[in-house]
Amino acid sequence: MARILVLGGTDLANAFIAALRAAHPDLEIVLSLAGRTRDPKLPDCVIRTGGFGGAEGLADYLRQEGITALVDATHPYAAQISANAATAAAETGTPCLHLVRPAWEQAPGDNWYPATDYEDATRHLDALSQTHPLTVFLTVGRQGLEPFHYLMNGTHVVRAVEQPDEAELPPGARAVLARGPFREADEAAFLKENEIDVIVSKNSGGTATYGKILAARSLRMPVVMVARPPVPEGAIVGDVESALVWVETAL
Ligand code: NAP
């Protein structure tokens, strides 16, 4: 029986698995999660949790488990596991697809400050806070907070799915725990209530976290938009339907 390994931790991976199960009820689907989120949303398939031990460990797993095809549906900012997937697939001759939501494009009314990475984002914040203290809405997740510890003139409101450790939070920051999807109206109310001056965002794509971008547009609020890391070489699609077509060729 063909076995597909899906690297997940995203709503897109779960949507892909649901569609794949419907299209191929006989296929064995294994979803791999890093194991960072307590109580993750789980689709109806075999679940494995935890790192593989680098590209080598993943290659061993592909061989030992007889994986027919690999679909990397991790978050666009999860660069390490995507690179490992490409390397392990090449090493073992396993067909590999990267399923990545297309990035958001700047639209009329948006006031984006493009940043190459988190350090670059902090330079924008320093420049914007020269004349007045900033209240920054940080929506980069728990793992990207370290560079934001050094904002001199301002405070942070950090939104994350899980409570960050005290040491992870920038000094004086307030954590707000929430899991998307987030609607534009709710985001606009949140931005006003918390007197936010600027948002820092990853370019995640999709609709689940786009509400804050729409709200910022309507409020004419600046958004420091952190660019995506490069996607490894190989087959790439941006939606579930295209991924299903790819699976047909890979089986
Ligand atoms: P990362 O930096 O690319 O990966 C770090 C290490 O975590 C990998 O080398 C791998 O360990 C392990 N890992 C990551 N994803 C895995 C998976 N699906 N299954 C098994 N092991 C995995 O990844 P990250 O940014 O920490 O993201 C971790 C997870 O959170 C991913 O599943 C990702 O889709 C999800 N997520 C990330 C973001 C984000 O902004 N980065 C946002 C939403 C969801 P080994 O080398 O030991 O195999």
Side-chain angles (χ1 to χ4, degrees):
M1 189 204 303
R3 303 184 87 188
I4 300 251
L5 176 64
V6 180
L7 304 174
T10 59
D11 289 340
L12 185 57
N14 293 352
F16 169 64
I17 288 170
L20 189 59
R21 277 192 69 80
H24 291 277
D26 294 340
L27 201 61
E28 186 172 344
I29 307 170
V30 181
L31 170 66
S32 176
L33 300 173
R36 307 259 163 76
T37 309
R38 283 187 293 272
D39 192 22
K41 292 183 217 166
L42 295 177
D44 179 16
C45 69
V46 177
I47 311 285
R48 72 158 298 285
T49 304
F52 296 94
E56 267 310 307
L58 179 53
D60 290 344
Y61 181 93
L62 295 175
R63 284 192 206 96
Q64 284 160 12
E65 298 294 321
I67 299 297
T68 319
L70 173 61
V71 176
D72 165 29
T74 56
H75 193 270
Y77 289 74
Q80 186 61 58
I81 188 70
S82 293
N84 292 353
T87 304
E91 193 179 312
T92 56
T94 310
C96 175
L97 177 73
H98 302 284
L99 170 55
V100 194
R101 279 197 200 288
W104 299 318
E105 302 283 345
Q106 204 169 169
D110 284 336
N111 182 17
W112 287 9
Y113 289 72
T116 50
D117 52 26
Y118 296 143
E119 280 74 17
D120 194 31
T122 65
R123 284 190 276 278
H124 283 303
L125 297 180
D126 282 339
L128 288 165
S129 64
Q130 288 299 309
T131 50
H132 58 283
L134 288 182
T135 302
V136 181
F137 185 30
L138 270 183
T139 62
V140 297
R142 277 174 58 188
Q143 289 170 51
L145 295 174
E146 212 267 332
F148 298 95
H149 282 222
Y150 309 105
L151 178 68
M152 300 308 287
N153 191 18
T155 53
H156 297 100
V157 178
V158 172
R159 183 163 69 196
V161 176
E162 311 256 319
Q163 175 68 43
D165 297 335
E166 202 55 46
E168 287 175 318
L169 280 175
R174 189 161 60 83
V176 177
L177 304 188
R179 191 195 295 244
F182 301 104
R183 294 183 324 131
E184 178 185 354
D186 297 333
E187 296 289 65
F190 180 91
L191 294 172
K192 283 188 214 157
E193 273 162 29
N194 290 277
E195 299 180 337
I196 302 294
D197 298 300
V198 56
I199 301 171
V200 181
S201 177
K202 292 181 278 198
N203 193 331
S204 299
T207 55
T209 57
Y210 197 53
K212 64 179 179 243
I213 307 299
L214 294 170
R217 186 181 300 158
S218 66
L219 296 170
R220 309 290 296 170
M221 186 177 289
V223 177
V224 177
M225 187 63 77
V226 181
R228 292 179 170 194
V231 183
E233 283 182 21
I236 299 175
V237 296
D239 58 72
V240 166
E241 293 69 31
S242 308
L244 290 179
V245 172
W246 179 88
V247 167
E248 300 298 333
T249 65
L251 288 179

